[in-house]
Amino acid sequence: MNKKLIQVIYISRSTFLSVGSSTKIEPQVVQILSESKSNNRKNGLVGVLFFGDGCFFECLEGEEKEIDALVEVLKQDNRHKDLTIISRKEIVNPSFQKWSMKYVPFDASIKDLLSRNGYGNFDPYLFDKEMVDKVLKLLLIADDESVANSDAQRSNKNYGKWALFLPVVVITLYFMKLLISVNH
């Protein structure tokens, strides 16, 4: 028997005080991401989380039974309030299948989308279906900036720089050794 896959998009307002850092992920959001990634992996769920201007916008995809159970848990989570499901539909394949929980930061692309559509800030309670679709499309193509992925990307970038630099150092040391042995 095939299991029914669904996509649910919900919005909510945070109940925690924002630290207001534009360069870092809110500490509470980091905790939520960590828990989400772990729990989603266990339950076969995927999705994306966005947090901006005190509001959450989250898309969850997976087996209907698992999504419905998670939504009930989310309704009890005291880190947010006013949870509202703004979209629920059956899907054939998950859009976010590469991520147990992708995180997209509040960056220039989101601000530009809001501005072009007449919004001064991120308040998904004001969005119509068309705007919800635009936000979801942007979140799909945006880079994942979660703490774990950012650390991994930074590590890979640093390794990449050293991987290019290391052979030069080794060759230089080799030739220095040759020069020293010839001169002695």
Side-chain angles (χ1 to χ4, degrees):
M1 180 172 137
N2 287 342
K3 297 180 180 181
K4 185 176 177 182
L5 294 178
I6 64 168
Q7 177 190 77
V8 168
I9 301 172
Y10 80 85
I11 57 177
S12 63
R13 298 184 196 282
S14 69
T15 57
F16 54 83
L17 185 60
S18 172
V19 295
S21 173
S22 61
T23 59
K24 294 190 178 193
I25 302 172
E26 293 283 343
Q28 290 283 343
V29 175
V30 170
Q31 183 180 359
I32 291 167
L33 283 169
S34 177
E35 292 168 7
S36 296
K37 287 180 180 198
S38 175
N39 292 334
N40 287 358
R41 259 187 232 107
K42 286 184 227 171
N43 296 314
L45 302 177
V46 296
V48 62
L49 176 68
F50 176 80
F51 179 76
D53 291 331
C55 291
F56 290 100
F57 180 104
E58 185 168 5
C59 173
L60 295 165
E61 298 173 327
E63 191 179 318
E64 183 176 37
K65 181 182 90 173
E66 297 295 336
I67 294 282
D68 289 342
L70 178 55
V71 168
E72 290 306 312
V73 169
L74 291 170
K75 287 178 181 177
Q76 305 306 313
D77 191 329
N78 64 5
R79 294 174 291 193
H80 64 161
K81 62 183 180 180
D82 304 331
L83 187 145
T84 305
I85 295 176
I86 58 173
S87 175
R88 180 187 177 101
K89 64 183 179 183
E90 192 168 342
I91 58 173
V92 176
N93 294 308
S95 301
F96 296 94
Q97 58 193 354
K98 292 180 184 177
W99 301 276
S100 58
M101 184 50 61
K102 179 179 183 179
Y103 177 75
V104 177
F106 197 171
D107 65 6
S109 60
I110 297 282
K111 290 175 185 173
D112 183 53
L113 176 67
L114 293 172
S115 177
R116 282 181 306 173
N117 288 276
Y119 296 95
N121 64 337
F122 188 81
D123 187 350
Y125 292 89
L126 302 175
F127 296 169
D128 59 14
K129 183 185 178 333
E130 182 182 351
M131 186 62 177
V132 169
D133 290 342
K134 288 177 182 180
V135 170
L136 191 61
K137 285 178 186 165
L138 182 60
L139 297 178
L140 182 61
I141 63 170
D143 290 334
D144 183 349
E145 295 292 331
S146 64
V147 173
N149 286 346
S150 293
D151 290 345
Q153 288 169 353
R154 266 188 244 110
S155 176
N156 287 342
K157 286 177 186 171
N158 289 339
Y159 174 76
K161 290 175 188 173
W162 280 105
L164 295 173
F165 183 68
L166 195 56
V168 173
V169 171
V170 170
I171 290 169
T172 303
L173 290 172
Y174 175 76
F175 280 112
M176 287 176 67
K177 182 181 176 187
L178 276 175
L179 283 172
I180 291 171
S181 67
V182 169
N183 289 333
H184 283 76

